[in-house]
Structures are given as structure tokens and as C-alpha cells.
Amino acid sequence: MKRIHMRRIVLSLVSGLVILLFSACTDSHERKQAYFDKGVALFEQGDIARARLELKNVLQIDARFAPGWYWMGRVEERDGHFRKAFADYSRAIELDPEHVPSMVRRGQILIIAGDIDNASRDADTALAVAPDSPAAIMLRAAVRLRQQDVEGALADARAVLAIDPGHVQATAMLGVMHYRAGSLDAAIATVEAGIAENPDSVVLKKLLARVYDAAGDVDGTIDVLRELVEAKPDDPRYNRELARYQLEKGRTAAAERELRDAYAGKPGENVLAIALVQLVAQLHGIDAAKAELAEMRRASPGSTDLLFLQAALAEAVNGRD
């Protein structure tokens, strides 16, 4: 009886230990996944600092989790730390030799660094794992461009568009190649088709504006630049670019109105203030620019950028006198 009783106690203890270990593993996995999901979401929202913290938590729980190293590489790359990003992608590939996203990102860094041979090896390995991966095919296309194999790169871009008609990178590459070859109608058709699939793509709209301008379509260019202004209302650089283009094409009143309206909507925005004062100086003279700037400084007395601009105007006046 005593032996039976002891055996029951031992079995009970073992069962309890197994349950505890299983619970701990399950809890650890759930926490890792929660940190990972939050880190990726924060990265995609542009909150890089907080994404980094969440992904560090992931790797503290599981240092052999390849996707965690991949996304940490994305964080480092976004911050401009390419050496660290390269190391993180390499770690992900070491842990998972078939992790295609890491091969592609590492290959892109290698291209930037001019190491085309190793970039080509990453492209070949990625394609061996995932022959229909648009990202892997575009990596090979980029390698081929650097190797002066234009036809091969175009073939790759077309292959990607056959798989994914809305692929931004492939559309942009094909559009740029048509543009450089002087085939403006083909470039316009390619980029417009891409925008139809990706109506919010800033990259493609910038390219379309460039091609329209090369084709002499000023109104079309202005329309696209206006779309960018409306799509990015918090980025004054697009207002400035639209005004610059209008001025370049002799539409001075429209350029001035663009900057005045934009500055009225964002009072104190230094990018717009500086652009407007410079435009006023160009169109109406230094004295008009000084008056414009004085009014701005009354509205934003603490702006050092406006103070520097005031000093530059004073120097210009002294030079004129």
C-alpha cells in the first residue's frame, strides 16, 4: 500500500511539473507573439523607437526567432544603421536559411555598398527558395541593372507585374527605363496603370509628374503635384515643390497664391515661410520681402530660421546699397 501511495505522489508531482512547464512555455510564446505583433504594427505606423523596444522584448524571450531579427533589421535600416541591419538580416538567415525577406533586404544593402557579386548570390538563393517571389525577382532585376543587363532587368520587372499588376517597385523600374529610352508614351501608360492599382503611391505619382513634364504636359504635371499636396497635407515640402514648378513654368501668380494659401493654413511653418519670403523677394523685391518677413516674425517671434532669413535679407539690402 505504501508503494502504491508513493507512486501516486510521484506521478502527481510529475504531472504537476509538466503542467507548469507547459503553462510557462505557452505563456512565453504568447508574450513573444504579442510583443512581435505590436512591434511590427508600430513599425508600419512609423513609430520606430517604440517598435525597437517591442522587438527587443521578442528577442529577449527567444533569441533564435528569425522573424524578430528580420524586423529588428528593418528598424535599424529605417534609422540609417545599415551595418546593424545587415548583421540582423544575416542572423535571421543563419537561423532560418530559407528566410527570403531577409535575403532580399540584405541583398539590397549589398547593392548599395557596391557588392554586386554577393547581392547576386542572395538573389539566386532567394529565388531558389521562392521562384515566384516578386521581392526576390526585383532584387535580381536590381542586380542586373548594376551589371548593365538592361533587357534582363526589364524582363524581371515585367515578370513581377505579371504576378502582381500593382507592384510599385516593378512599375517604377519599367517606367523609368521607358523614360530614359525616350519612350514617354510607354512610360506614361506604365505609371498610370501602376497608379490605378496603387492610388496612394507617392513614388509613382512623383514619377508620373516627372514624365508628364518631360512630355510637355504642364497642366498634367501640376494636377499630379496638386494630388501629392492633398495626399500629404502635413508635409509642406509638397506645397513648396508645386509652387516651384509653377514659377518655373511662368505661372508666378499661381505660385505665390499656392505658398500664401499654404502658409495661411499652417502659420509658423518655417519651410513655407522661407519659401514665401524668397518668392516675394524674387517677384516684388527685397523691401517687400522684408515687410513680409517682419509680419511673420511678429506671428512667430521665436523662430531661429526666420531670424537667419532676416539676417540674409539685411545682408542682401546692404549689398544692394
Side-chain angles (χ1 to χ4, degrees):
M1 290 292 293
K2 288 184 178 180
R3 286 185 179 180
I4 295 173
H5 183 65
M6 286 299 296
R7 185 180 300 170
R8 286 177 178 174
I9 293 174
V10 170
L11 287 174
S12 177
L13 289 172
V14 170
S15 299
L17 182 59
V18 169
I19 291 171
L20 286 173
L21 288 173
F22 179 77
S23 298
C25 290
T26 301
D27 180 60
S28 176
H29 175 76
E30 290 177 351
R31 285 190 298 113
K32 180 183 78 174
Q33 192 63 46
Y35 285 133
F36 179 73
D37 291 343
K38 188 174 181 181
V40 173
L42 287 168
F43 178 88
E44 292 176 342
Q45 294 165 15
D47 192 342
I48 306 305
R50 290 175 63 200
R52 179 190 294 278
L53 293 176
E54 297 297 330
L55 292 168
K56 279 186 176 179
N57 288 333
V58 171
L59 295 173
Q60 284 176 352
I61 293 171
D62 184 0
R64 300 188 61 79
F65 185 53
W69 287 106
Y70 167 75
W71 282 101
M72 185 60 82
R74 295 292 303 274
V75 166
E76 297 292 3
E77 194 174 345
R78 181 70 67 85
D79 277 345
H81 304 149
F82 292 102
R83 288 183 182 275
K84 290 182 179 179
F86 182 89
D88 289 341
Y89 296 142
S90 297
R91 179 61 174 154
I93 295 166
E94 178 186 334
L95 293 168
D96 180 1
E98 295 190 350
H99 199 265
V100 171
S102 292
M103 296 176 201
V104 171
R105 300 302 299 195
R106 186 174 73 174
Q108 291 170 347
I109 292 175
L110 287 166
I111 290 174
I112 293 170
D115 189 348
I116 307 305
D117 289 342
N118 279 318
S120 180
R121 276 190 277 274
D122 271 345
D124 290 343
T125 305
L127 286 167
V129 175
D132 294 328
S133 164
I137 297 172
M138 286 310 300
L139 176 60
R140 184 176 64 188
V143 168
R144 285 175 165 174
L145 270 184
R146 293 295 295 270
Q147 294 171 333
Q148 307 302 315
D149 181 5
V150 176
E151 290 304 317
L154 288 175
D156 279 338
R158 292 189 182 101
V160 168
L161 290 175
I163 297 169
D164 178 5
H167 196 280
V168 171
Q169 188 182 2
T171 300
M173 177 178 284
L174 197 57
V176 167
M177 298 308 292
H178 285 315
Y179 168 79
R180 290 178 177 174
S183 304
L184 298 182
D185 288 343
I188 289 171
T190 297
V191 180
E192 285 182 339
I195 291 174
E197 296 287 340
N198 300 278
D200 297 326
S201 174
V202 172
V203 170
L204 294 182
K205 286 185 177 181
K206 284 183 176 181
L207 177 57
L208 184 60
R210 182 178 172 186
V211 178
Y212 275 164
D213 180 51
D217 186 351
V218 175
D219 288 334
T221 304
I222 289 174
D223 287 344
V224 176
L225 293 175
R226 172 65 61 194
E227 288 179 17
L228 287 170
V229 167
E230 293 170 356
K232 298 289 184 179
D234 296 327
D235 192 338
R237 294 174 299 176
Y238 291 101
N239 301 95
R240 183 180 61 187
E241 179 61 20
L242 173 55
R244 183 203 63 76
Y245 184 77
Q246 290 170 324
L247 183 64
E248 179 185 304
K249 299 304 177 182
R251 303 187 181 189
T252 55
E256 184 172 354
R257 184 168 58 253
E258 173 64 31
L259 290 178
R260 287 194 181 281
D261 289 348
Y263 187 74
K266 305 183 187 76
E269 172 54 66
N270 288 338
V271 169
L272 294 173
I274 292 169
L276 178 56
V277 170
Q278 290 173 336
L279 181 62
V280 169
Q282 182 176 346
L283 297 179
H284 306 296
I286 296 294
D287 290 337
K290 285 178 64 180
E292 191 82 40
L293 181 57
E295 184 64 30
M296 290 177 177
R297 289 215 64 208
R298 279 192 286 272
S300 302
S303 171
T304 55
D305 287 336
L306 294 183
L307 181 61
F308 289 140
L309 183 57
Q310 185 177 47
L313 283 177
E315 184 176 346
V317 170
N318 291 335
R320 182 189 64 183
D321 295 340

